[in-house]
């Protein structure tokens, strides 16, 4: 009698979005990337990514935010799976993504799916890869991928992929105003370069006052330290973002910032209650299409459940 090979049970990984508390953009490097000094912060908007053994590579995307995500080999989750397969003993997989992170919103949704896929395959095939190794493979896929494996709050240098943890106290509450459609990250960097013209751009260094604010755990101290060098470029491409920022501040946010390359705008609020108030006010004013409340820091990509049939 022959026995059927044991097929491992599907693995579901939950992965957060990120907001950059500080995003300092330095000079353009020879490889086309910019030198960055950034402080990543993982927040509780999640994609859930399920990986299962399949006859061929495949990807599906579901949820209200699924529009605009490629369903072929261009999907970064499938690229992550294939990259891992080129190095380790990995069979073809089906990757099913449930999107809770805005697409092309400056919150690293694609990078999050890549990070979740790497963590999922590590579990599915018992590869025994450590976090460091997963972060290393992730860096080949995109600058934000290692942080979405790690989570929490961390300083990123290089092109953002070199991580160092930050000592941060407390939980911060956020309201995210989602944009109408996405913004292309390369287009926003190009606009940043255009606006800077011949200006001499110094090497970026993370701001010690921001680190001190994070140690304090006080959102009032953090709010004035939020900074994003891509904000002017994002507003230049999408002027309505300036109005969204002004509305949020008028309705009581402690601080507001374009998230990464935008067009999502992140508002820091005092507590959960203030988050509800701001979300209601922004929605009622008609200033934004859609809002999400979240808190951070949260863990990076982590296994949610392993289905046992
Ligand atoms: P970042 O903040 O890292 O610059 P972003 O949040 O602005 O990125 P993403 O949501 O990662 O943007 O999407 C950027 C583009 O990547 C999308 O427009 C889409 O075409 C493509 N893409 C490929 N795979 C995915 C995925 N799994 N999820 C979302 N977008 C994907």
């Amino acid at each position: 009698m022959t026995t059927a090979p044991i097929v491992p049970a599907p693995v579901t990984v939950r992965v957060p979005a990120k907001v950059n508390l500080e995003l300092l953009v330095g000079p353009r490097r020879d490889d086309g990337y910019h030198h960055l000094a950034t402080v990543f912060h993982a927040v509780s908007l999640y994609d859930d990514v399920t990986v299962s053994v399949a006859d061929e590579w495949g990807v599906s995307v579901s949820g209200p935010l699924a529009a605009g995500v490629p369903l072929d080999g261009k999907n970064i989750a499938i690229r992550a799976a294939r990259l891992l397969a080129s190095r380790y003993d990995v069979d073809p997989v089906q990757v099913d993504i449930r999107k809770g992170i805005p697409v092309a919103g400056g919150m690293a949704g694609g990078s999050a799916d890549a990070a979740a896929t790497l963590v999922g395959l590590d579990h599915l095939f018992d590869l025994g890869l450590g976090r460091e190794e997963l972060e290393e493979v992730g860096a080949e896929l995109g600058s934000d991928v290692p942080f979405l494996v790690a989570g929490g709050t961390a300083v990123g240098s290089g092109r953002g992929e070199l991580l160092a943890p930050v000592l941060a106290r407390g939980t911060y509450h956020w309201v995210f105003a989602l944009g109408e459609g996405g913004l292309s990250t390369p287009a926003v960097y190009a606009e940043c370069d255009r606006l800077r013209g011949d200006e001499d751009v110094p090497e970026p260094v993370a701001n010690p006052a921001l680190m001190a604010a994070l140690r304090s755990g006080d959102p009032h101290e953090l709010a004035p330290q939020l900074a994003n060098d891509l904000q002017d470029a994002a507003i230049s491409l999408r002027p309505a973002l300036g109005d969204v920022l002004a509305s949020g501040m008028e309705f009581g946010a402690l601080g507001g910032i374009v998230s990464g390359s935008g067009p999502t705008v992140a508002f820091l609020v005092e507590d959960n209650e203030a988050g509800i108030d701001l979300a209601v006010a922004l929605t009622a004013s008609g200033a934004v299409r859609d809002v999400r409340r979240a808190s951070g820091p949260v863990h990076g990509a982590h296994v949610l459940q392993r289905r046992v049939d």
Side-chain angles (χ1 to χ4, degrees):
M1 194 180 79
T2 55
T3 49
I6 297 168
V7 177
V11 175
T12 297
V13 175
R14 177 159 284 184
V15 64
K18 63 85 187 164
V19 59
N20 303 78
L21 303 178
E22 178 172 65
L23 177 49
L24 304 180
V25 179
R28 239 175 93 104
R29 313 193 312 190
D30 293 340
D31 62 5
Y33 288 99
H34 291 74
H35 288 275
L36 298 183
T38 190
V39 178
F40 292 113
H41 183 68
V43 294
S44 60
L45 296 182
Y46 297 106
D47 281 0
D48 286 343
V49 177
T50 301
V51 288
S52 23
V53 174
D55 292 333
E56 53 189 48
W57 302 97
V59 61
S60 78
V61 186
S62 62
L65 301 179
V69 180
L71 294 173
D72 54 17
K74 289 201 195 82
N75 192 300
I76 191 170
I78 282 293
R79 286 176 37 222
R82 284 181 180 274
L83 179 62
L84 214 60
S86 71
R87 300 196 180 173
Y88 302 97
D89 190 14
V90 167
D91 295 327
V93 289
Q94 169 70 24
V95 182
D96 298 310
I97 300 168
R98 181 152 181 94
K99 273 259 154 224
I101 304 176
V103 176
M107 301 196 76
S111 303
D113 296 344
T117 303
L118 295 178
V119 170
L121 293 191
D122 183 31
H123 274 75
L124 189 69
F125 296 112
D126 272 332
L127 301 177
L129 305 176
R131 200 171 95 182
E132 241 172 57
E133 196 154 357
L134 292 170
E135 288 180 20
E136 217 177 281
V137 179
E140 290 185 32
L141 292 153
S143 309
D144 294 344
V145 180
F147 175 69
L148 276 319
V149 173
T153 305
V155 175
S157 57
R159 54 182 166 87
E161 85 287 16
L162 306 171
L163 296 179
V166 166
L167 182 66
R169 270 203 192 89
T171 295
Y172 297 95
H173 297 270
W174 299 92
V175 175
F176 294 98
L178 310 198
E180 292 280 357
L183 269 178
S184 143
T185 303
V188 176
Y189 273 97
E191 180 66 1
C192 177
D193 288 339
R194 192 188 70 78
L195 292 175
R196 283 175 166 177
D198 296 335
E199 194 183 307
D200 236 349
V201 181
E203 284 295 327
V205 181
N207 178 6
L210 171 62
M211 303 301 157
L214 285 167
R215 283 195 298 275
S216 79
D218 181 352
H220 293 266
E221 295 211 13
L222 179 60
Q225 304 304 336
L226 300 173
N228 181 359
D229 280 352
L230 292 180
Q231 182 156 307
D232 287 349
I235 293 174
S236 166
L237 294 176
R238 191 72 68 80
L241 293 183
D243 303 330
V244 174
L245 276 163
S247 300
M249 298 309 290
E250 195 183 310
F251 294 140
L254 300 177
I257 195 170
V258 168
S259 178
S261 53
T264 307
V265 175
F267 292 108
L268 180 62
V269 290
E270 177 144 26
D271 52 23
N272 198 38
E273 195 93 334
I276 296 170
D277 290 346
L278 179 59
V280 169
L282 282 170
T283 311
S285 73
V288 301
R289 177 179 59 89
D290 207 355
V291 293
R292 296 281 187 284
R293 289 185 298 115
S295 60
V298 294
H299 291 297
H302 55 281
V303 174
L304 200 60
Q305 70 187 62
R306 188 154 193 182
R307 203 171 73 209
V308 182
D309 291 320

